[in-house]
């Protein structure tokens, strides 16, 4: 069964460093999402991406964040200058069309020290 | 006020018991999702529903659109059902982003 993959599974970085989290959505999917979950809290929406552009973003998704789909398969989330409060599990998700269930990747645990 | 509220937050039961987790929401939705999150953190989609009832094995999900309420039932619960169950709604506007409840931690004791 096709699945969403994410790399790395765990990333440790120092405050102020740039990180890139990578996702490979399911190949025929059209809508892509990033969510995050701070330890002990609920999952929060960050950004959605469709037709090679951001379709919606949350208040969390400020100028420090960016997304890209550079080559038609990878979908990346970049945090330019990480802060301690960026420590969280980041999930990528994709759907084939607007009326289909979302498939989640296994997540990347980001730890900012 | 949270857009998606789940109850209970924690639930402990004995193997074999019938389990019910409830979800109420306050926004217009195109669909409601029930998700399962295991201790390792991964999220698995259990159901997506916009009306009525769906069944998969021992799991049953129902939704009442007029009352903005959904329930997830587990029949003949088993210790392997222990996980966090999350209700999430897809807005009927915009990009189908999900808005999540805080989750229900279910523990089934043998």
């Amino acid at each position: 069964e096709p699945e969403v993959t994410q790399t790395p599974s765990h990333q440790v970085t120092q405050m102020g460093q740039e990180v890139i989290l990578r996702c490979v959505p399911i190949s025929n999917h059209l809508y892509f999402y990033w969510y995050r979950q701070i330890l002990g809290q609920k999952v929060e929406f960050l950004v959605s991406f469709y037709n090679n552009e951001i379709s919606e973003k949350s208040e969390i998704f400020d100028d420090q964040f960016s997304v890209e789909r550079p080559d038609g398969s990878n979908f990346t989330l970049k945090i330019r200058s990480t802060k301690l409060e960026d420590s969280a599990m980041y999930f990528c998700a994709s759907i084939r069309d607007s009326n289909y269930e979302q498939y989640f990747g296994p997540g990347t645990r980001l730890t900012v020290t | 006020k949270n857009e998606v509220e789940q109850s209970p937050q924690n639930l402990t039961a004995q193997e074999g018991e019938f389990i019910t987790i409830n979800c109420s929401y306050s926004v217009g939705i195109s669909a409601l999702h029930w998700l399962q999150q295991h201790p390792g953190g991964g999220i698995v989609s259990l159901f997506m529903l916009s009306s009525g009832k769906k069944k998969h094995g021992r799991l049953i999900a129902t939704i009442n659109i007029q009352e903005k309420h959904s329930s997830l039932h587990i029949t003949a619960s088993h210790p392997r059902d222990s996980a966090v169950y999350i209700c999430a709604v897809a807005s009927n506007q915009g990009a189908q982003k999900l808005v999540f409840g805080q989750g229900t931690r279910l523990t089934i004791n043998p």
Side-chain angles (χ1 to χ4, degrees):
Chain A
E1 184 176 327
E3 58 183 17
V4 177
T5 60
Q6 288 185 245
T7 55
S9 56
H10 190 189
Q11 171 109 33
V12 181
T13 190
Q14 287 192 324
M15 196 166 53
Q17 295 296 304
E18 175 184 285
V19 295
I20 297 176
L21 310 183
R22 290 184 167 81
C23 168
V24 180
I26 295 171
S27 62
N28 62 348
H29 283 194
L30 301 177
Y31 295 77
F32 313 108
Y33 305 86
W34 284 102
Y35 298 95
R36 80 169 186 193
Q37 185 178 34
I38 295 171
L39 187 63
Q41 297 186 21
K42 63 182 179 181
V43 180
E44 303 172 286
F45 167 75
L46 290 178
V47 65
S48 59
F49 194 86
Y50 171 71
N51 203 23
N52 285 320
E53 62 182 19
I54 291 173
S55 47
E56 190 172 352
K57 59 184 181 180
S58 72
E59 291 176 355
I60 303 167
F61 195 89
D62 61 21
D63 291 345
Q64 292 301 309
F65 290 87
S66 62
V67 289
E68 216 176 28
R69 189 157 157 81
D71 56 12
S73 61
N74 289 285
F75 179 49
T76 62
L77 175 69
K78 182 193 291 187
I79 309 175
R80 276 184 247 290
S81 177
T82 49
K83 302 189 275 281
L84 294 176
E85 53 264 40
D86 294 327
S87 295
M89 182 78 98
Y90 288 80
F91 293 101
C92 171
S94 68
I95 58 173
R96 191 169 83 188
D97 200 348
S98 58
N99 293 320
Y100 289 80
E101 65 184 286
Q102 293 199 15
Y103 287 80
F104 287 84
T108 292
R109 184 170 298 283
L110 176 65
T111 302
V112 182
T113 61
Chain B
K1 185 182 183 301
N2 289 326
E3 293 172 296
V4 182
E5 295 274 3
Q6 287 184 237
S7 63
Q9 290 193 10
N10 293 281
L11 179 56
T12 300
Q14 291 299 119
E15 183 173 354
E17 285 190 40
F18 181 81
I19 303 299
T20 296
I21 299 170
N22 295 299
C23 175
S24 296
Y25 56 92
S26 57
V27 295
I29 68 168
S30 60
L32 182 142
H33 299 248
W34 281 103
L35 310 164
Q36 183 188 57
Q37 185 171 35
H38 279 283
I43 296 174
V44 174
S45 177
L46 298 175
F47 295 103
M48 183 182 82
L49 61 165
S50 53
S51 64
K53 177 178 169 178
K54 285 190 176 180
K55 185 175 189 289
H56 184 248
R58 295 180 293 107
L59 272 60
I60 303 165
T62 64
I63 188 168
N64 185 318
I65 296 293
Q66 286 73 31
E67 294 186 4
K68 294 188 175 178
H69 181 268
S70 175
S71 294
L72 177 69
H73 306 285
I74 305 174
T75 62
S77 59
H78 190 276
R80 65 174 174 265
D81 297 326
S82 298
V84 176
Y85 292 84
I86 302 172
C87 172
V89 299
S91 171
N92 59 3
Q93 298 175 4
Q96 295 288 308
K97 70 178 187 192
L98 294 184
V99 178
F100 294 76
Q102 77 274 29
T104 294
R105 184 174 299 277
L106 174 66
T107 303
I108 304 295
N109 293 319

